């Protein structure tokens, strides 16, 4: 019996090793060598308040705003107005209190099939295209791809990622700003403050099924084991980056869908960019684009591929800055 068990254990180890080798080969040969930065011709422009085309700026230009807010949006015609109203009310009030404060909101329509762009353009017409800009992507890239397109067209000294559902209270940007400030001095002007829902975990578990809780813990373990150490909540869509940190991390980003936050922070930790995790107010909003099982499965695959592709050298990072 013991000999049989040893044989079975040996077969199990051999099978696991074979699967790991096979997955590693697949990860290597399917890896894109460079991040897909391609822009369609139509994506190089935005419509101003008069409906005229204007060329988008570049992240590599000198900043002309204090804050850029990038809002990735896919089929968000219903949820976007609530978020935009809250954000713009806050930003306008802040500008009235401090006339030196300048901002822009960039809505990136990620190939929506509804009226997301038209809804966003109404805010452009109301506030002007210097404050609100809409980038409409030709086809759906995924949340990470949409955020990157917005980041690459931003003018801010600091760049905030904010979800279109308005789940995070927008005034909490001040908490992130303090988190960034507490990290000073910033090496090479790079720092990141991540909004976090980790403090709400016990409450959220009470409202979730056992299956979804198991998926959540499994995902957190894979993030910690494979990619990112020391950040309890990598997936909160409320993140503030200095312009230099945004340029460096997003220009190296490969993942364009749900797991892009993990690769972003993996890159940041490789580059030794200081990261603050800051508790924010968060409310679950109906209409999530995540399909519980399949989205988690896709993210798990992406986490494994992130680790393997960097480990095998299919993807490479350099600590010295490369100008685009």
């Amino acid at each position: 019996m013991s000999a049989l068990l040893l044989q079975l254990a040996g077969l199990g180890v051999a099978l696991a090793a074979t699967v790991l080798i096979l997955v590693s080969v697949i990860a290597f040969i399917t890896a894109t060598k460079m991040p897909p930065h391609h822009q369609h011709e139509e994506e190089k422009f935005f419509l101003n308040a008069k409906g005229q085309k204007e060329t988008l700026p570049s992240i590599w230009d000198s900043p002309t705003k204090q804050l850029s807010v990038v809002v990735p949006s896919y089929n968000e015609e219903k949820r976007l107005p609530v978020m935009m109203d809250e954000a713009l009310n806050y930003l306008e009030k802040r500008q009235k209190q401090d006339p030196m404060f300048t901002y822009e909101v960039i809505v990136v329509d990620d190939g929506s099939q509804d009226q997301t762009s038209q809804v966003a353009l109404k805010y452009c017409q109301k506030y002007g295209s210097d404050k609100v800009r809409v980038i409409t992507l030709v086809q759906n890239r995924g949340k990470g791809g949409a955020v990157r397109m917005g980041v690459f067209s931003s003018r801010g000294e600091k760049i905030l990622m904010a979800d279109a559902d308005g789940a995070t209270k927008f005034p909490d940007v001040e908490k992130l700003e303090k988190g960034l400030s507490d990290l000073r001095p910033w090496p090479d002007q790079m720092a990141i403050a991540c909004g976090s829902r980790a403090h709400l975990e016990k409450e959220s578990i009470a409202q979730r099924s056992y299956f979804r809780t198991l998926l959540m813990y499994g995902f957190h373990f894979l993030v910690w084991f494979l990619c990112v150490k020391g950040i309890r909540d990598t997936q909160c869509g409320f993140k503030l980056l200095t312009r230099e940190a945004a340029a460096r991390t997003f220009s190296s980003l490969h993942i364009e869908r749900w797991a892009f936050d993990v690769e972003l922070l993996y890159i940041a930790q490789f580059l030794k960019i200081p990261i603050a995790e800051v508790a924010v107010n968060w409310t679950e909003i109906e209409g999530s684009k995540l399909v519980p099982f399949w989205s988690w499965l896709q993210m798990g695959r992406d986490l494994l591929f992130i680790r393997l592709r960097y480990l095998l050298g299919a993807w490479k990072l350099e600590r010295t800055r490369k100008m685009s």
Side-chain angles (χ1 to χ4, degrees):
M1 178 65 79
S2 59
L4 179 61
L5 288 174
L6 284 173
Q7 284 182 336
L8 290 174
L11 285 172
V13 170
L15 180 61
T18 302
V19 170
L20 181 59
I21 292 170
L22 181 61
V23 171
S24 298
V25 170
I26 293 171
F28 187 86
I29 64 177
T30 58
T32 53
K33 296 298 181 184
M34 292 296 292
H37 291 170
H38 174 70
Q39 276 182 297
H40 291 277
E41 193 62 29
E42 303 95 303
E43 296 170 351
K44 297 177 182 178
F45 304 92
F46 70 96
L47 294 179
N48 63 23
K50 296 180 180 179
Q52 301 166 329
K53 281 187 176 181
E54 290 190 30
T55 304
L56 287 163
S58 168
I59 185 69
W60 303 105
D61 299 335
S62 297
T64 57
K65 300 288 182 184
Q66 288 187 14
L67 179 67
S68 292
V69 182
V70 177
V71 186
S73 306
Y74 177 65
N75 292 342
E76 292 288 4
E77 65 177 7
K78 294 181 179 179
R79 300 196 299 179
L80 184 63
V82 176
M83 180 271 169
M84 291 291 284
D85 287 340
E86 182 189 23
L88 288 162
N89 287 340
Y90 166 82
L91 292 166
E92 285 291 291
K93 182 179 178 181
R94 181 166 169 176
Q95 191 171 66
K96 287 178 181 177
Q97 293 172 344
D98 177 12
M100 298 298 292
F101 173 72
T102 54
Y103 75 88
E104 65 174 349
V105 178
I106 303 171
V107 178
V108 185
D109 180 346
D110 189 20
S112 296
Q113 298 173 347
D114 65 1
Q115 301 297 306
T116 294
S117 285
Q118 289 76 1
V119 169
L121 282 168
K122 290 180 181 179
Y123 289 91
C124 173
Q125 292 164 356
K126 180 177 179 180
Y127 292 92
S129 55
D130 188 52
K131 290 184 174 179
V132 179
R133 294 183 173 182
V134 183
I135 302 174
T136 303
L137 303 186
V138 172
Q139 60 187 27
N140 179 264
R141 290 175 178 257
K143 184 179 177 182
V147 172
R148 181 173 53 193
M149 294 294 280
V151 166
F152 281 171
S153 302
S154 64
R155 296 174 287 165
E157 295 173 3
K158 298 183 182 71
I159 300 171
L160 175 72
M161 296 161 42
D163 286 343
D165 61 6
T168 307
K169 295 302 178 184
F170 197 86
D172 278 3
V173 65
E174 294 178 21
K175 296 180 180 179
L176 298 189
E177 288 172 329
K178 185 179 184 305
L180 273 190
S181 180
D182 290 344
L183 293 173
R184 286 184 183 271
W186 301 331
D188 298 322
Q189 293 302 304
M190 295 193 294
I192 300 174
C194 298
S196 175
R197 304 157 298 181
H199 61 295
L200 302 172
E201 195 167 279
K202 287 184 180 179
E203 180 182 339
S204 67
I205 287 172
Q207 299 173 359
R208 281 194 176 107
S209 67
Y210 288 117
F211 180 64
R212 290 192 68 181
T213 299
L214 182 64
L215 286 176
M216 180 190 72
Y217 277 127
F219 179 76
H220 286 176
F221 173 76
L222 286 177
V223 169
W224 171 84
F225 182 71
L226 294 172
C227 299
V228 177
K229 303 292 192 292
I231 305 296
R232 294 176 64 196
D233 182 7
T234 59
Q235 300 309 110
C236 181
F238 206 59
K239 293 181 175 67
L240 183 67
L241 302 87
T242 64
R243 187 175 185 83
E244 184 69 17
R248 292 291 307 281
T249 53
F250 276 95
S251 61
S252 299
L253 192 72
H254 298 80
I255 298 293
E256 290 199 306
R257 297 200 177 271
W258 297 111
F260 85 96
D261 301 80
V262 177
E263 189 191 3
L264 185 79
L265 295 173
Y266 178 91
I267 294 166
Q269 291 190 335
F270 176 86
L271 297 174
K272 300 190 183 305
I273 298 174
I275 303 171
E277 188 170 13
V278 181
V280 294
N281 293 298
W282 184 84
T283 305
E284 187 161 355
I285 306 295
E286 291 184 5
S288 172
K289 305 299 186 299
L290 274 173
V291 181
F293 179 73
W294 293 112
S295 294
W296 288 100
L297 191 64
Q298 183 187 52
M299 285 193 283
R301 181 204 64 187
D302 285 346
L303 294 181
L304 181 59
F305 276 18
I306 288 169
R307 185 65 182 139
L308 288 174
R309 284 167 173 168
Y310 281 115
L311 189 65
L312 296 171
W315 292 347
K316 296 180 181 178
L317 292 171
E318 296 181 14
R319 287 195 170 94
T320 56
R321 173 174 172 171
K322 278 190 175 181
M323 292 297 293
S324 175

